[in-house]
Amino acid sequence: MSTAIQTSDTLLDESVFAGKIFIDGEWVVGGGGAIPSIEPATGATLAMVGLADPADVARAAEGAARAQKEWAALPHPARSAVLRKAGQLWEQYADEIGGWNVREVGAIPPLAGFALHVTAAETYEAAALPSAPLGSILASEEPRLSLAQQVPVGVVGVIAPFNVPLILAIRAVAPALALGNAVLLKPDPRTVITGGVSFVRIFEEAGLPAGLLQLVPGGADVGEALVADPRVRVVAFTGSTRAGRAVGEVAARHLTRAHLELGGNSAFIIRADADVDKAVNLATWGSFLHQGQICMTVGRHIVHESLFEEYVSKLAAKADSMHVGDPAAGQVHLGPLIDEVQRDRVHTLVQDAVAQGAELRAGGSYDELFYRPTVLANTPRDATAYADEVFGPVASVVPFATDDEAVALAADTQYGLSLGIVTADVFAGLALAQRIPTGIVHINDQTVNDEANAPFGGTGFSGTGSRHGGAQANVDAFTDTRWITLRREPGQYPL
């Protein structure tokens, strides 16, 4: 029996979208059939959602390519108006969409609210893009006017994950549309309503013409068809490094530009002059928010040896005091992991780390999909729970003696997404950060931060660099550059 969230003024009406995908402005039955959207906290079916197949992707890409030309030709105020209205609608329907986010994704209400705030902010930021400068005048050695012009790529494919589906889709969907492109959106099959249906309904209500936002949920076959379709010229993918590598390989074969935002294993350095209580407060948020299911999550706590035992003890005590449970039923600090596969992986990594010599100071247990916040001390450097992304509420803490050792520990990873440093000397912290390759650095803050106008992206196994945040990054991501010259009279050549 469905337990869908309905109100008298419902945006997400199950009777409209149940078991269907969205192509060319219509809800239609997809070739991939239908599956239940499961509430991780209870196992209840929230609604039935439709899945696409590769044939649906081809039809969606054809319709998107057709609709995109008229959209790109509109005067810029018309495109801006749609984005501004969409931003207002995200705010208007925040409670309803936030309710789905809590139940379908397992987010606690404060995180669900933050996601809606960022989603609206991303949309408002994008609303300014249609009137942004989209080119420049170039110097030329010939008697002509030489220009560089940014033009829409045409069709953009957006593949978004389950963990923060609103933010991780809107930061590509909104700027791509604003700059005159059409979008094929493929959300994770586990979070189709929050990460897909809500987008369709918001932009539909905002007046976006049919065909410009196509919803094609599905599995790996749908993702591959999206990346390989010749009409899709740019793919924006957010997800695991393993899946991102596969996307990148397919994109390379088809000469499709791919923006890859991938995994992380962020370091959090606590220098000897840090305030331990303040550091533990930051660490709790950085490691345990959303059950650790965030790419920026603090995975490795690198703590000066003089503070190590105090830090571990206080972090473990904080973890033990946290409430874990159904975020829709009452106030909790942590909700459920997304499914049994993820829970079992997290638990295996914790057990393996302990078997390799890590000290289990808190957590390490679960009930159903509810995993206790876990603190591991002196985790071996070769334990996967320390060396790789866990994507669960697990904090590995190791000591260091000198800044050089802290740098070596923090940089000893294939990832390079976010870095946090806590210190009384902010300039020493900045100097330390300059020696550690990451796409994001926060001095006297933890690693999980996001603002719509700030650059976001990582290095190494964390992806292909910043493609989000600010007008220029978005213009670069979702347009092509044309060189244009104009002569008053035809040129003369010696042939």
Side-chain angles (χ1 to χ4, degrees):
M1 178 179 177
S2 169
T3 56
I5 303 164
Q6 303 282 333
T7 70
S8 58
D9 184 24
T10 296
L11 177 76
L12 307 178
D13 185 346
E14 184 189 358
S15 66
V16 173
F17 69 79
K20 297 176 181 178
I21 63 177
F22 191 76
I23 297 179
D24 292 342
E26 296 183 353
W27 292 100
V28 297
V29 175
I35 60 171
S37 175
I38 301 297
E39 183 176 23
T42 65
T45 295
L46 297 173
M48 297 299 293
V49 296
L51 298 181
D53 66 7
D56 293 319
V57 173
R59 184 157 65 96
E62 180 181 1
R66 187 169 52 246
Q68 182 269 333
K69 293 178 177 60
E70 291 186 12
W71 173 246
L74 286 177
H76 69 82
R79 279 184 275 126
S80 292
V82 171
L83 272 295
R84 284 197 303 273
K85 180 62 175 177
Q88 294 166 0
L89 290 168
W90 286 119
E91 295 174 334
Q92 178 180 335
Y93 288 102
D95 288 345
E96 181 185 349
I97 298 171
W100 281 101
N101 199 352
V102 169
R103 297 189 64 185
E104 185 184 38
V105 182
I108 62 173
L111 177 61
F114 175 74
L116 264 300
H117 165 74
V118 173
T119 300
E122 292 277 3
T123 310
Y124 286 131
E125 285 284 329
L129 288 174
S131 59
L134 296 176
S136 57
I137 298 177
L138 308 175
S140 178
E141 62 187 38
E142 297 289 330
R144 62 190 177 189
L145 180 62
S146 182
L147 309 171
Q149 181 190 21
Q150 304 299 130
V151 298
V153 298
V155 180
V156 174
V158 178
I159 303 176
F162 74 85
N163 55 319
V164 193
L166 290 170
I167 295 175
L168 300 182
I170 194 62
R171 63 190 186 186
V173 170
L177 288 172
L179 289 165
N181 301 290
V183 172
L184 270 61
L185 174 60
K186 180 199 165 307
D188 188 289
R190 293 167 290 187
T191 53
V192 171
I193 301 167
T194 305
V197 176
S198 65
F199 283 77
V200 167
R201 291 292 297 118
I202 287 290
F203 280 98
E204 190 177 32
E205 290 292 312
L208 185 71
L212 292 170
L213 180 58
Q214 314 276 46
L215 178 62
V216 286
D221 60 333
V222 171
E224 182 171 358
L226 186 155
V227 178
D229 192 285
R231 289 154 293 207
V232 176
R233 300 315 308 144
V234 167
V235 171
F237 171 86
T238 303
S240 71
T241 298
R242 177 189 56 80
R245 185 178 286 109
V247 168
E249 289 174 353
V250 175
R253 286 200 301 271
H254 294 273
L255 301 181
T256 299
R257 197 191 324 167
H259 303 301
L260 306 176
E261 162 49 38
L262 308 178
N265 187 17
S266 297
F268 187 53
I269 299 174
I270 313 302
R271 297 185 75 237
D273 58 2
D275 182 305
V276 171
D277 291 328
K278 292 178 180 178
V280 167
N281 173 265
L282 294 172
T284 301
W285 182 270
S287 276
F288 303 140
L289 178 67
H290 198 33
Q291 302 77 257
Q293 298 175 125
I294 300 174
C295 58
M296 296 171 283
T297 291
V298 176
R300 298 169 297 144
H301 300 241
I302 301 170
V303 182
H304 192 269
E305 60 187 8
S306 65
L307 306 178
F308 182 78
E309 184 52 43
E310 180 185 3
Y311 181 91
V312 171
S313 297
K314 289 183 174 180
L315 183 60
K318 183 66 175 178
D320 284 338
S321 73
M322 300 180 81
H323 298 290
V324 183
D326 182 354
Q331 185 173 353
V332 297
H333 296 105
L334 283 78
L337 294 173
I338 190 66
D339 58 24
E340 291 86 353
V341 173
Q342 183 62 20
R343 179 204 63 199
D344 292 346
R345 178 180 183 275
V346 170
H347 193 56
T348 296
L349 295 183
V350 171
Q351 289 182 310
D352 288 350
V354 172
Q356 289 176 261
E359 304 165 24
L360 181 64
R361 301 290 291 268
S365 61
Y366 64 85
D367 180 15
E368 300 295 335
L369 298 184
F370 302 104
Y371 205 92
R372 291 294 311 171
T374 297
V375 177
L376 299 173
N378 292 304
T379 312
R381 311 298 188 269
D382 58 351
T384 305
Y386 175 87
D388 206 349
E389 182 176 45
V390 175
F391 230 61
V394 179
S396 286
V397 192
V398 298
F400 74 91
T402 67
D403 279 355
D404 286 345
E405 185 181 0
V407 168
L409 287 168
D412 184 21
T413 178
Q414 294 177 308
Y415 298 99
L417 184 53
S418 192
L419 170 68
I421 299 174
V422 183
T423 177
D425 185 343
V426 295
F427 292 104
L430 182 58
L432 205 65
Q434 303 289 32
R435 301 166 60 190
I436 303 166
T438 61
I440 302 167
V441 175
H442 299 293
I443 308 299
N444 284 329
D445 205 347
Q446 46 76 44
T447 56
V448 182
N449 279 274
D450 201 355
E451 292 188 33
N453 66 329
F456 187 98
T459 63
F461 278 25
S462 291
T464 53
S466 296
R467 66 169 175 83
H468 305 296
Q472 193 57 55
N474 286 322
V475 169
D476 291 344
F478 302 114
T479 66
D480 287 325
T481 304
R482 302 179 75 189
W483 181 34
I484 302 172
T485 69
L486 300 88
R487 288 179 181 264
R488 189 175 298 275
E489 298 290 343
Q492 296 295 312
Y493 292 89
L495 289 179

Short mmCIF file of all heavy atoms in Angstrom, two decimals, residues 190 293 336-352 364-371 390-394:
data_model
loop_
_atom_site.label_atom_id
_atom_site.label_comp_id
_atom_site.label_asym_id
_atom_site.label_seq_id
_atom_site.Cartn_x
_atom_site.Cartn_y
_atom_site.Cartn_z
N ARG A 190 16.52 4.95 -6.81
CA ARG A 190 16.04 4.90 -5.43
C ARG A 190 15.45 6.23 -4.96
O ARG A 190 14.76 6.27 -3.94
CB ARG A 190 17.18 4.48 -4.50
CG ARG A 190 17.65 3.05 -4.69
CD ARG A 190 18.97 2.77 -3.99
NE ARG A 190 20.08 3.46 -4.64
CZ ARG A 190 21.37 3.30 -4.31
NH1 ARG A 190 21.68 2.46 -3.33
NH2 ARG A 190 22.31 3.95 -4.95
N GLN A 293 26.87 10.04 4.25
CA GLN A 293 26.61 9.79 2.83
C GLN A 293 26.74 11.08 2.02
O GLN A 293 25.82 11.48 1.30
CB GLN A 293 25.23 9.17 2.64
CG GLN A 293 25.07 7.81 3.32
CD GLN A 293 23.65 7.28 3.23
OE1 GLN A 293 23.40 6.18 2.77
NE2 GLN A 293 22.69 8.07 3.68
N PRO A 336 18.50 6.72 8.37
CA PRO A 336 18.98 5.43 7.88
C PRO A 336 19.97 5.58 6.73
O PRO A 336 19.99 6.58 6.02
CB PRO A 336 17.69 4.78 7.36
CG PRO A 336 16.89 5.95 6.86
CD PRO A 336 17.17 7.08 7.82
N LEU A 337 20.80 4.56 6.55
CA LEU A 337 21.53 4.43 5.30
C LEU A 337 20.54 4.06 4.20
O LEU A 337 19.42 3.63 4.46
CB LEU A 337 22.62 3.36 5.44
CG LEU A 337 23.75 3.71 6.41
CD1 LEU A 337 24.67 2.51 6.60
CD2 LEU A 337 24.53 4.92 5.95
N ILE A 338 20.94 4.25 2.95
CA ILE A 338 19.98 4.16 1.84
C ILE A 338 19.44 2.76 1.64
O ILE A 338 18.27 2.58 1.30
CB ILE A 338 20.61 4.70 0.53
CG1 ILE A 338 19.55 4.85 -0.55
CG2 ILE A 338 21.77 3.83 0.09
CD1 ILE A 338 18.48 5.88 -0.27
N ASP A 339 20.26 1.71 1.85
CA ASP A 339 19.77 0.35 1.65
C ASP A 339 20.72 -0.65 2.32
O ASP A 339 21.75 -0.28 2.89
CB ASP A 339 19.59 0.03 0.16
CG ASP A 339 20.87 0.19 -0.66
OD1 ASP A 339 21.98 0.11 -0.09
OD2 ASP A 339 20.77 0.38 -1.89
N GLU A 340 20.36 -1.92 2.22
CA GLU A 340 21.13 -2.97 2.89
C GLU A 340 22.52 -3.12 2.29
O GLU A 340 23.48 -3.44 3.01
CB GLU A 340 20.38 -4.31 2.79
CG GLU A 340 19.11 -4.39 3.61
CD GLU A 340 17.91 -3.84 2.85
OE1 GLU A 340 18.10 -3.28 1.74
OE2 GLU A 340 16.78 -3.96 3.38
N VAL A 341 22.65 -2.91 0.99
CA VAL A 341 23.96 -3.05 0.36
C VAL A 341 24.94 -2.05 0.95
O VAL A 341 26.08 -2.40 1.29
CB VAL A 341 23.83 -2.84 -1.18
CG1 VAL A 341 25.22 -2.80 -1.82
CG2 VAL A 341 22.99 -3.96 -1.78
N GLN A 342 24.50 -0.81 1.10
CA GLN A 342 25.38 0.21 1.66
C GLN A 342 25.67 -0.07 3.13
O GLN A 342 26.81 0.06 3.58
CB GLN A 342 24.76 1.60 1.50
CG GLN A 342 25.63 2.75 1.98
CD GLN A 342 26.93 2.86 1.22
OE1 GLN A 342 27.07 2.34 0.11
NE2 GLN A 342 27.90 3.52 1.81
N ARG A 343 24.66 -0.47 3.88
CA ARG A 343 24.87 -0.80 5.30
C ARG A 343 25.89 -1.92 5.46
O ARG A 343 26.80 -1.83 6.29
CB ARG A 343 23.55 -1.21 5.94
CG ARG A 343 23.67 -1.60 7.42
CD ARG A 343 22.55 -2.52 7.82
NE ARG A 343 22.60 -3.79 7.09
CZ ARG A 343 21.55 -4.61 6.99
NH1 ARG A 343 20.40 -4.30 7.54
NH2 ARG A 343 21.69 -5.75 6.32
N ASP A 344 25.74 -2.97 4.67
CA ASP A 344 26.65 -4.11 4.80
C ASP A 344 28.07 -3.73 4.41
O ASP A 344 29.04 -4.22 5.01
CB ASP A 344 26.16 -5.28 3.94
CG ASP A 344 24.85 -5.87 4.47
OD1 ASP A 344 24.47 -5.55 5.61
OD2 ASP A 344 24.21 -6.62 3.71
N ARG A 345 28.22 -2.86 3.42
CA ARG A 345 29.56 -2.43 3.04
C ARG A 345 30.20 -1.64 4.18
O ARG A 345 31.37 -1.86 4.52
CB ARG A 345 29.51 -1.57 1.78
CG ARG A 345 30.87 -1.04 1.35
CD ARG A 345 30.82 -0.19 0.09
NE ARG A 345 32.16 0.22 -0.30
CZ ARG A 345 32.80 1.28 0.19
NH1 ARG A 345 32.20 2.05 1.08
NH2 ARG A 345 34.03 1.57 -0.20
N VAL A 346 29.45 -0.71 4.76
CA VAL A 346 29.97 0.08 5.87
C VAL A 346 30.40 -0.83 7.02
O VAL A 346 31.50 -0.69 7.58
CB VAL A 346 28.93 1.11 6.35
CG1 VAL A 346 29.38 1.78 7.66
CG2 VAL A 346 28.68 2.16 5.27
N HIS A 347 29.53 -1.77 7.37
CA HIS A 347 29.83 -2.63 8.52
C HIS A 347 31.04 -3.51 8.25
O HIS A 347 31.88 -3.73 9.15
CB HIS A 347 28.61 -3.49 8.85
CG HIS A 347 28.70 -4.15 10.19
ND1 HIS A 347 28.92 -3.46 11.36
CD2 HIS A 347 28.64 -5.48 10.54
CE1 HIS A 347 28.96 -4.30 12.38
NE2 HIS A 347 28.81 -5.52 11.91
N THR A 348 31.17 -3.99 7.04
CA THR A 348 32.33 -4.82 6.68
C THR A 348 33.62 -4.01 6.81
O THR A 348 34.63 -4.52 7.33
CB THR A 348 32.18 -5.36 5.25
OG1 THR A 348 31.05 -6.23 5.19
CG2 THR A 348 33.44 -6.12 4.82
N LEU A 349 33.60 -2.77 6.35
CA LEU A 349 34.80 -1.93 6.45
C LEU A 349 35.18 -1.67 7.90
O LEU A 349 36.37 -1.67 8.25
CB LEU A 349 34.58 -0.61 5.72
CG LEU A 349 34.39 -0.69 4.20
CD1 LEU A 349 34.25 0.71 3.60
CD2 LEU A 349 35.55 -1.42 3.54
N VAL A 350 34.18 -1.45 8.76
CA VAL A 350 34.46 -1.23 10.18
C VAL A 350 35.04 -2.49 10.81
O VAL A 350 36.05 -2.44 11.53
CB VAL A 350 33.18 -0.78 10.91
CG1 VAL A 350 33.40 -0.77 12.43
CG2 VAL A 350 32.74 0.60 10.44
N GLN A 351 34.42 -3.63 10.55
CA GLN A 351 34.91 -4.89 11.12
C GLN A 351 36.32 -5.21 10.63
O GLN A 351 37.17 -5.65 11.42
CB GLN A 351 33.95 -6.03 10.75
CG GLN A 351 32.61 -5.98 11.46
CD GLN A 351 31.75 -7.17 11.09
OE1 GLN A 351 31.56 -7.47 9.91
NE2 GLN A 351 31.21 -7.84 12.09
N ASP A 352 36.57 -4.98 9.36
CA ASP A 352 37.90 -5.25 8.83
C ASP A 352 38.95 -4.35 9.47
O ASP A 352 40.08 -4.79 9.75
CB ASP A 352 37.91 -5.06 7.31
CG ASP A 352 37.16 -6.17 6.58
OD1 ASP A 352 36.81 -7.17 7.22
OD2 ASP A 352 36.92 -6.00 5.36
N GLY A 364 29.87 1.08 15.60
CA GLY A 364 30.22 -0.22 15.03
C GLY A 364 29.08 -1.21 15.04
O GLY A 364 29.30 -2.41 14.85
N SER A 365 27.84 -0.72 15.24
CA SER A 365 26.68 -1.61 15.28
C SER A 365 25.52 -0.97 14.53
O SER A 365 25.55 0.23 14.23
CB SER A 365 26.28 -1.91 16.73
OG SER A 365 25.91 -0.71 17.40
N TYR A 366 24.51 -1.77 14.25
CA TYR A 366 23.35 -1.24 13.52
C TYR A 366 22.09 -1.99 13.89
O TYR A 366 22.11 -3.10 14.43
CB TYR A 366 23.59 -1.32 12.01
CG TYR A 366 23.72 -2.72 11.46
CD1 TYR A 366 22.60 -3.48 11.10
CD2 TYR A 366 24.98 -3.31 11.30
CE1 TYR A 366 22.72 -4.76 10.62
CE2 TYR A 366 25.11 -4.60 10.79
CZ TYR A 366 23.97 -5.32 10.45
OH TYR A 366 24.09 -6.59 9.97
N ASP A 367 20.95 -1.37 13.58
CA ASP A 367 19.63 -1.97 13.70
C ASP A 367 18.89 -1.64 12.41
O ASP A 367 18.64 -0.46 12.13
CB ASP A 367 18.90 -1.40 14.92
CG ASP A 367 17.51 -1.99 15.08
OD1 ASP A 367 17.23 -3.03 14.46
OD2 ASP A 367 16.69 -1.40 15.82
N GLU A 368 18.55 -2.67 11.65
CA GLU A 368 17.98 -2.45 10.31
C GLU A 368 18.96 -1.60 9.49
O GLU A 368 20.11 -1.96 9.36
CB GLU A 368 16.60 -1.81 10.43
CG GLU A 368 15.58 -2.65 11.19
CD GLU A 368 15.23 -3.96 10.49
OE1 GLU A 368 15.37 -4.03 9.25
OE2 GLU A 368 14.84 -4.92 11.19
N LEU A 369 18.51 -0.44 8.98
CA LEU A 369 19.40 0.42 8.19
C LEU A 369 19.99 1.56 9.02
O LEU A 369 20.66 2.44 8.48
CB LEU A 369 18.66 1.01 7.00
CG LEU A 369 18.14 0.00 5.97
CD1 LEU A 369 17.50 0.72 4.79
CD2 LEU A 369 19.25 -0.93 5.49
N PHE A 370 19.78 1.52 10.33
CA PHE A 370 20.25 2.58 11.20
C PHE A 370 21.63 2.21 11.77
O PHE A 370 21.73 1.35 12.64
CB PHE A 370 19.25 2.84 12.33
CG PHE A 370 17.88 3.21 11.83
CD1 PHE A 370 16.84 2.29 11.86
CD2 PHE A 370 17.65 4.47 11.31
CE1 PHE A 370 15.58 2.63 11.39
CE2 PHE A 370 16.39 4.82 10.84
CZ PHE A 370 15.35 3.90 10.87
N TYR A 371 22.65 2.86 11.27
CA TYR A 371 24.02 2.56 11.69
C TYR A 371 24.49 3.59 12.70
O TYR A 371 24.37 4.80 12.48
CB TYR A 371 24.97 2.55 10.48
CG TYR A 371 26.19 1.68 10.72
CD1 TYR A 371 26.18 0.35 10.35
CD2 TYR A 371 27.32 2.19 11.36
CE1 TYR A 371 27.28 -0.46 10.59
CE2 TYR A 371 28.42 1.39 11.61
CZ TYR A 371 28.39 0.06 11.22
OH TYR A 371 29.48 -0.75 11.47
N VAL A 390 34.16 5.69 2.67
CA VAL A 390 33.28 4.74 3.34
C VAL A 390 31.83 4.98 2.96
O VAL A 390 31.05 4.07 2.75
CB VAL A 390 33.46 4.82 4.87
CG1 VAL A 390 32.45 3.92 5.58
CG2 VAL A 390 34.88 4.45 5.25
N PHE A 391 31.42 6.22 2.87
CA PHE A 391 30.03 6.64 2.62
C PHE A 391 29.11 6.11 3.72
O PHE A 391 28.03 5.58 3.48
CB PHE A 391 29.57 6.20 1.24
CG PHE A 391 28.93 7.33 0.46
CD1 PHE A 391 29.64 8.47 0.16
CD2 PHE A 391 27.61 7.25 0.05
CE1 PHE A 391 29.07 9.52 -0.54
CE2 PHE A 391 27.01 8.29 -0.66
CZ PHE A 391 27.76 9.43 -0.96
N GLY A 392 29.57 6.28 4.94
CA GLY A 392 28.81 5.92 6.11
C GLY A 392 29.33 6.73 7.28
O GLY A 392 30.35 7.43 7.18
N PRO A 393 28.68 6.65 8.47
CA PRO A 393 29.03 7.49 9.61
C PRO A 393 30.23 6.95 10.38
O PRO A 393 30.12 6.52 11.53
CB PRO A 393 27.76 7.47 10.46
CG PRO A 393 27.19 6.11 10.20
CD PRO A 393 27.50 5.81 8.76
N VAL A 394 31.40 6.98 9.75
CA VAL A 394 32.61 6.38 10.32
C VAL A 394 33.73 7.41 10.32
O VAL A 394 34.10 7.93 9.27
CB VAL A 394 33.03 5.13 9.54
CG1 VAL A 394 34.31 4.54 10.14
CG2 VAL A 394 31.91 4.10 9.53
#
